[in-house]
Amino acid sequence: MALAEENLTEGLEYDLKYLKLLSNQYPTIAEACTEIINLQAILNLPKGTEHFLTDIHGEYEPFIHVLKNASGVIKRKINDIFGNSLRKKDIKSLATLIYYPEQKLELMLKDESNIEDWYKITLYRLIEICRYVSSKYTRSKVRKALPKDFAYIIEELLHEQPDRLDKEEYYSEIIMTIIRIGRANEFITAISKLIQRLVVDRLHIVGDIFDRGPGADIVMDTLMNYHSVDIQWGNHDILWMGAAAGSEACIATVLRICARYANLDTIEDGYGINLLPLATFALEFYKNDDCLNFKPKIESDKNYSEKDIKLIAQMHKAIAIIQFKLEGEIIKRRSHFNMEDRLLLEKINYGEGTIDLEGKNYKLKDIHFPTIDPKNPYELTIEERELMEKLKSSFLNSEKLQKHISFLFAKGSMYLNYNSNLLYHGCIPLNEDGSLKKVKIGATGREYKGKELLDRFEILAREGYFYKNNPEAKLYGMDVIWYLWTGTDSPLFGKNKMTTFERYFIAEEETHVEKKNPYFKYRDDEKMCASILKEFGLNPESAHIINGHIPVKSKKGESPIKAKGKLLVIDGGFSRAYQGQTGIAGYTLIYNSYGLVLVSHEPFESTQKAIEEEKDILSTTVVLEQEVERKRVGDTDIGIELKQQIRALEMLLEAYRKGLIKEQR
């Protein structure tokens, strides 16, 4: 054994208590040896395939389709196996069957004259595909993924060799029996979903699940049922997390954005939050106001009547005014946020209908403010206070919302180091010279920067949600969550200000400008990327930064590849709101054992057309990096953990052999 005797003895003395606990799991030398052999073998398997997606923004249909087709990987696997023996039409149909087995089976069987033959051919093909995509995993890992009802049968079929004469009849009889007893549909569904699962080993969501699109709640349900996922919080996610925690400013902002995009169904139907109090309030105070500047942006296919649009606009304006008031309360309460420049309600001349910004006077587009007291503009009226209490209660008591946000805290973080990739949604705050910016947090004025800053923000965000028995700490945590949504030095926002008020009330576009953090000026600089990677403990020679947040304007020639491949921006426009800017409909970054691949997606028409007309998302693939030697599990973070386990087991073996621990026979 290649372990130094003196080091081993020292380690045994130090870890004897741990080794005694480990011996309960591996009570004999034989069992410890078997596990060492098993783990050592796993280290030499190809690394699992990771998929990275970002900025989904509630667009659940294209998102779910991308998960089902594994960003085009499943069709490529079918081509690998059957490209020379099947027509393109048949490959297309087989791929669609794997994506949507239940729905597609119903349609396909209507057109089949010999159903038994079709079943037999299809089952053989699906088994062959499943065998191909499972080949890089251990039997144990595949076994854990198997559907319960067909676990034994699928395992037999996957590991059988049908070309062997002594087992050919056995193999064929399993297939024929599945068909004869009427379980073919269920088996096809089960094995199709298994293929979907095995093609992607781990899914990374680099922020912004919520807002704009119509089904953030459906996206969250999908992620909660996904086999392996992590999430890096985006600014829109943190906003919803603050709302679920009870931050009234976050609640008002969530409702304002939903009203702006005519997406109130997510609130009412998705999360069961009652908006009748807001509608009643809006009708009372804005009944004679057309609220033209607050007409919703309707990007879905849903048709609204003029009456509905007017009501949404009135609700939109009502909650926007409340939002500005609530934000003012936070800014005044937390002077160290340095956001006094956003106290705009007090800069309005209500008699003249103008506002003074940075020494310049602007005429307001809308001067109807029935709930603002010019002498105390940030004070909520009695009616506004009652409304917010009702809305807050609805958010806090939405079982589904709380379940989703708890999942975001459990699976999410401000950033993630994973297999030499640094994932974060927005930016790392920098100074104008490209150095890490120090940011004051807390009344003490302590400064944080870089990794330490993100770590501190994450702790405070968790306190804002979980510290129910410490009101002061919870309130500060909720205020920090709001700051992460919109604050000048928020790594999730990355701009000097959010000009929401100006866009609603001032025509001059010079007031709408939001200056980006210097990070975005330097993100094509290799030295800057290297310094950030070092800050987070990664090797700049082999590591990458993966971002979302700012849509890549592909149609204008902008590349998602920055700093010669050190930084990758993969926000390609899942949200319809951004597709006019990007020219595409999203990216998937794929990291498999052969290297990094970037896939760009064309717009997705609908799930119905995908099933009925077999209209898949058209995707373009670009190989970013190709490994000279195929990456193995031993080269990954999991590999590091397995090597540590092997080391511990080797120490346990020595303890058994030296008699420090007795075998349990």
Side-chain angles (χ1 to χ4, degrees):
M1 190 171 292
L3 293 171
E5 184 75 20
E6 60 275 14
N7 291 340
L8 196 61
T9 303
E10 183 182 338
L12 286 173
E13 291 172 356
Y14 183 77
D15 290 325
L16 201 55
K17 289 183 179 178
Y18 166 71
L19 294 176
K20 284 180 178 176
L21 289 173
L22 190 61
S23 70
N24 292 326
Q25 191 173 354
Y26 305 99
T28 67
I29 289 175
E31 288 175 281
C33 287
T34 299
E35 185 64 9
I36 290 171
I37 295 166
N38 177 47
L39 295 178
Q40 195 68 51
I42 291 172
L43 291 175
N44 291 285
L45 287 171
K47 79 171 283 297
T49 301
E50 302 168 54
H51 282 220
F52 303 77
L53 296 168
T54 186
D55 295 270
I56 299 155
H57 285 300
E59 296 290 350
Y60 69 95
E61 281 200 282
F63 169 70
I64 290 172
H65 186 80
V66 163
L67 288 191
K68 286 179 177 294
N69 80 352
S71 302
V73 171
I74 287 177
K75 189 174 282 184
R76 287 199 291 275
K77 299 287 186 187
I78 297 171
N79 271 309
D80 289 345
I81 303 168
F82 301 113
N84 295 323
S85 58
L86 286 182
R87 296 174 301 172
K88 285 186 178 180
K89 179 180 180 299
D90 295 327
I91 288 173
K92 205 174 184 181
S93 293
L94 184 56
T96 307
L97 177 64
I98 293 172
Y99 308 156
Y100 302 98
E102 297 101 331
Q103 301 94 321
K104 193 61 181 174
L105 270 169
E106 186 178 343
L107 294 175
M108 294 177 90
L109 291 174
K110 287 179 182 177
D111 300 327
E112 286 299 329
S113 56
N114 191 330
I115 291 176
E116 186 173 306
D117 266 6
W118 182 87
Y119 274 139
K120 186 177 179 181
I121 293 167
T122 302
L123 286 169
Y124 272 107
R125 287 172 180 170
L126 290 174
I127 291 160
E128 190 63 30
I129 295 166
C130 195
R131 183 182 291 119
Y132 183 53
V133 300
S134 66
S135 61
K136 68 194 298 185
Y137 303 116
T138 63
R139 286 195 181 192
S140 174
K141 184 163 185 172
V142 174
R143 191 179 296 123
K144 290 173 183 174
L146 296 175
K148 186 179 178 182
D149 288 353
F150 296 102
Y152 174 76
I153 298 169
I154 293 176
E155 188 169 13
E156 285 289 295
L157 294 172
L158 290 184
H159 300 295
E160 196 47 70
Q161 297 177 11
D163 55 335
R164 288 173 55 183
L165 293 175
D166 56 342
K167 284 294 186 76
E168 186 177 355
E169 290 186 13
Y170 170 75
Y171 184 88
S172 298
E173 190 58 38
I174 292 176
I175 300 292
M176 294 311 298
T177 304
I178 290 169
I179 298 168
R180 182 170 54 80
I181 64 175
R183 293 284 282 168
N185 282 11
E186 290 82 359
F187 187 85
I188 288 170
T189 298
I191 202 164
S192 295
K193 290 181 178 179
L194 178 61
I195 291 167
Q196 291 179 29
R197 176 168 179 169
L198 292 173
V199 168
V200 180
D201 190 51
R202 190 174 183 92
L203 176 65
H204 307 282
I205 304 295
V206 195
D208 278 359
I209 295 165
F210 287 90
D211 288 333
R212 292 189 170 89
D217 57 308
I218 300 171
V219 174
M220 285 300 300
D221 281 338
T222 303
L223 292 175
M224 288 185 72
N225 290 316
Y226 205 75
H227 59 276
S228 180
V229 64
D230 56 68
I231 300 163
Q232 292 70 60
W233 303 328
N235 54 319
H236 288 270
D237 304 319
I238 206 76
L239 177 66
W240 280 73
M241 291 157 72
S247 165
E248 294 184 356
C250 291
I251 289 169
T253 308
V254 162
L255 293 174
R256 178 187 63 78
I257 293 172
C258 285
R260 182 176 185 178
Y261 290 92
N263 190 22
L264 295 173
D265 287 350
T266 298
I267 297 288
E268 293 184 296
D269 301 334
Y271 290 114
I273 291 169
N274 183 12
L275 292 181
L276 183 59
L278 175 57
T280 303
F281 175 89
L283 286 171
E284 179 179 353
F285 287 92
Y286 297 91
K287 59 185 175 183
N288 297 319
D289 188 343
D290 288 333
C291 301
L292 295 179
N293 296 321
F294 293 85
K295 287 186 71 173
K297 296 182 178 182
I298 301 173
E299 291 163 349
S300 67
D301 299 327
K302 189 171 181 179
N303 293 318
Y304 290 90
S305 67
E306 285 300 317
K307 185 178 179 182
D308 288 338
I309 291 172
K310 183 176 180 180
L311 176 58
I312 293 172
Q314 291 167 331
M315 295 167 69
H316 186 182
K317 183 176 180 179
I319 201 66
I321 298 301
I322 292 173
Q323 175 193 320
F324 300 141
K325 289 185 177 185
L326 293 168
E327 289 178 336
E329 289 180 2
I330 296 175
I331 294 167
K332 288 174 177 289
R333 185 162 62 232
R334 311 296 180 192
S335 59
H336 58 280
F337 284 178
N338 294 320
M339 294 180 66
E340 286 77 10
D341 63 322
R342 303 312 300 152
L343 294 172
L344 301 183
L345 297 185
E346 62 194 42
K347 293 178 170 58
I348 297 174
N349 183 322
Y350 290 91
E352 296 181 4
T354 60
I355 186 169
D356 189 278
L357 294 180
E358 298 180 8
K360 189 172 180 180
N361 203 254
Y362 296 94
K363 186 173 180 62
L364 297 176
K365 295 191 293 182
D366 184 341
I367 57 173
H368 184 60
F369 300 112
T371 66
I372 295 180
D373 177 1
K375 295 179 181 177
N376 193 358
Y378 302 105
E379 183 179 33
L380 295 182
T381 65
I382 294 172
E383 294 84 357
E384 286 173 327
R385 173 53 55 203
E386 289 176 350
L387 171 62
M388 285 312 303
E389 288 297 329
K390 290 176 183 176
L391 292 171
K392 181 177 176 180
S393 176
S394 290
F395 272 78
L396 290 175
N397 290 296
S398 169
E399 184 179 347
K400 190 172 184 180
L401 177 62
Q402 295 301 328
K403 183 173 69 173
H404 284 173
I405 299 306
S406 293
F407 180 78
L408 275 180
F409 276 106
K411 295 290 184 180
S413 55
M414 289 288 291
Y415 69 91
L416 179 67
N417 284 353
Y418 197 87
N419 289 342
S420 293
N421 290 314
L422 175 60
L423 288 59
Y424 53 85
H425 177 71
C427 70
I428 304 299
L430 301 180
N431 295 306
E432 288 296 335
D433 64 359
S435 60
L436 295 171
K437 185 172 185 179
K438 294 180 179 178
V439 179
K440 289 182 180 179
I441 299 180
T444 61
R446 181 178 169 183
E447 294 181 324
Y448 300 81
K449 65 178 182 177
K451 179 179 180 298
E452 191 180 42
L453 175 65
L454 270 66
D455 287 337
R456 185 61 186 153
F457 273 139
E458 179 166 336
I459 289 170
L460 292 171
R462 291 181 183 279
E463 289 180 1
Y465 185 74
F466 290 107
Y467 267 30
K468 300 188 187 333
N469 296 323
N470 188 336
E472 187 176 338
K474 180 175 175 61
L475 179 61
Y476 186 70
M478 289 194 296
D479 289 351
V480 165
I481 289 175
W482 172 82
Y483 180 88
L484 285 169
W485 154 249
T486 188
T488 303
D489 295 314
S490 163
L492 303 184
F493 177 49
K495 298 178 184 177
N496 68 328
K497 59 185 174 182
M498 191 177 290
T499 56
T500 305
F501 179 92
E502 291 90 332
R503 290 168 190 269
Y504 284 130
F505 290 101
I506 304 173
E508 287 81 356
E509 291 188 0
E510 65 193 57
T511 66
H512 303 176
V513 175
E514 299 171 348
K515 184 182 176 184
K516 294 176 184 175
N517 185 272
Y519 172 89
F520 296 98
K521 179 175 69 174
Y522 286 102
R523 66 181 178 174
D524 212 14
D525 186 288
E526 290 180 75
K527 289 184 180 178
M528 185 279 286
C529 293
S531 68
I532 288 178
L533 289 167
K534 286 179 183 176
E535 169 71 12
F536 285 82
L538 293 170
N539 180 1
E541 296 300 317
S542 57
H544 307 84
I545 297 169
I546 300 172
N547 281 173
H549 190 48
I550 302 293
V552 176
K553 298 177 178 65
S554 298
K555 73 176 185 179
K556 293 185 178 180
E558 184 184 357
S559 171
I561 306 164
K562 313 291 183 183
K564 295 182 179 177
K566 284 295 163 196
L567 189 151
L568 304 167
V569 183
I570 59 169
D571 180 3
F574 257 107
S575 172
R576 293 189 192 185
Y578 294 133
Q579 288 172 14
Q581 301 175 42
T582 62
I584 59 172
Y587 289 113
T588 301
L589 180 67
I590 300 173
Y591 183 26
N592 58 30
S593 58
Y594 294 104
L596 281 170
V597 175
L598 188 67
V599 180
S600 61
H601 307 296
E602 293 299 313
F604 180 64
E605 291 194 51
S606 70
T607 301
Q608 184 178 353
K609 287 191 175 182
I611 296 166
E612 294 177 357
E613 301 175 28
E614 298 178 348
K615 289 196 172 183
D616 203 349
I617 289 181
L618 296 176
S619 302
T620 304
T621 302
V622 177
V623 177
L624 302 180
E625 290 183 7
Q626 195 156 7
E627 300 292 339
V628 177
E629 292 185 13
R630 196 176 186 187
K631 276 194 176 290
R632 306 288 170 178
V633 172
D635 303 315
T636 68
D637 292 348
I638 291 173
I640 293 171
E641 293 176 13
L642 294 179
K643 288 171 186 176
Q644 290 171 345
Q645 291 176 36
I646 290 170
R647 164 70 178 167
L649 287 163
E650 287 175 341
M651 291 173 67
L652 178 61
L653 274 182
E654 283 300 297
Y656 280 141
R657 288 166 176 163
K658 289 178 181 291
L660 297 173
I661 298 175
K662 305 293 184 184
E663 289 186 86
Q664 302 171 35
R665 292 184 179 273

